[in-house]
């Protein structure tokens, strides 16, 4: 599954990471408490359809996504979040456990918000509602290889 794939990728790249097994979390606040990390550190990953393509967007869990900024930057007319059934079909995952990765973990292009760069580490749900990982933000960007890092969130 996705959790094993992330573990394998990080190990292959020699990345130090901390794994936390916790109660199922439904919100970013619950997840940050379960991990014992500030909410800002949380990398919230959203799968959205931009015009005709599904993409992964990652931003600090302390912030709100601004879809207008994504549409503008990507020259798109339409933007909407993936529905539960679409997410399942694309990634095999349920909402709330999407990790902040595109290829090779998820078959989607990855875009990262500049808010992620404000922290020295990133914490995220690793393909399940009960498993989180915390790792260096610098290594995360190196390994996740976003197509682009730009600003698409607000406080």
């Amino acid at each position: 599954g996705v959790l094993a794939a992330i573990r394998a990728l990080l190990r292959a790249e020699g990345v130090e990471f901390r794994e936390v097994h916790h109660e199922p979390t439904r919100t970013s606040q619950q997840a940050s408490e379960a991990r014992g990390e500030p909410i800002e550190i949380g990398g919230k990953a959203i799968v959205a359809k931009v015009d005709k393509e599904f993409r992964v967007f990652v931003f600090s869990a302390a912030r709100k996504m601004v879809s207008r900024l994504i549409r503008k930057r990507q020259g798109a007319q339409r933007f909407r979040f993936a529905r539960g059934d679409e997410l399942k079909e694309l990634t095999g995952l349920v909402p709330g456990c999407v990790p902040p990765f595109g290829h090779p973990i998820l078959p989607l292009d990855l875009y990262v918000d500049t808010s992620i760069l404000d922290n020295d580490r990133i914490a995220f749900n690793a393909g399940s509602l009960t498993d989180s990982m915390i790792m260096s933000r610098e290594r995360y960007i190196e390994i996740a290889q976003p197509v682009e890092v730009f600003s698409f969130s607000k406080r």
Side-chain angles (χ1 to χ4, degrees), residues 4-146:
I6 297 169
R7 259 189 215 130
L9 176 67
L10 297 183
R11 287 185 181 138
E13 296 285 346
V15 178
E16 281 183 43
F17 62 94
R18 185 159 67 86
E19 217 172 299
V20 184
H21 194 71
H22 49 73
E23 289 298 302
T25 55
R26 292 274 163 218
T27 67
S28 300
Q29 190 58 55
Q30 287 174 347
S32 86
E33 285 163 17
R35 296 170 188 144
E37 291 284 350
I39 192 163
E40 289 76 15
I41 297 295
K44 191 169 183 161
I46 297 287
V47 175
K49 192 174 193 180
V50 183
D51 282 346
K52 294 186 163 68
E53 265 185 64
F54 285 99
R55 297 174 175 160
V56 183
F57 295 92
V58 180
F59 56 103
S60 166
R63 297 175 69 92
K64 299 226 180 310
M65 177 187 254
V66 183
S67 61
R68 178 181 46 81
L69 295 175
I70 293 171
R71 284 200 323 271
K72 192 176 166 194
R73 181 69 166 226
Q74 301 190 346
Q77 298 302 308
R78 292 186 307 282
F79 176 99
R80 69 169 175 82
F81 299 127
R83 296 188 312 263
D85 61 317
E86 291 170 327
L87 187 63
K88 187 96 182 129
E89 196 177 307
L90 288 163
T91 67
L93 299 172
V94 298
C97 68
V98 177
F101 293 93
H103 309 281
I105 304 294
L106 301 177
L108 303 164
D109 284 344
L110 172 71
Y111 295 85
V112 171
D113 182 64
T114 50
S115 61
I116 294 296
L117 306 182
D118 295 341
N119 305 306
D120 65 349
R121 60 194 190 285
I122 181 172
F124 54 88
N125 276 72
S128 94
L129 295 172
T130 56
D131 293 284
S132 289
M133 286 180 181
I134 299 121
M135 64 180 286
S136 135
R137 184 264 306 153
E138 191 178 355
R139 295 290 277 136
Y140 161 71
I141 295 289
E142 251 173 55
I143 285 155
Q145 295 189 317

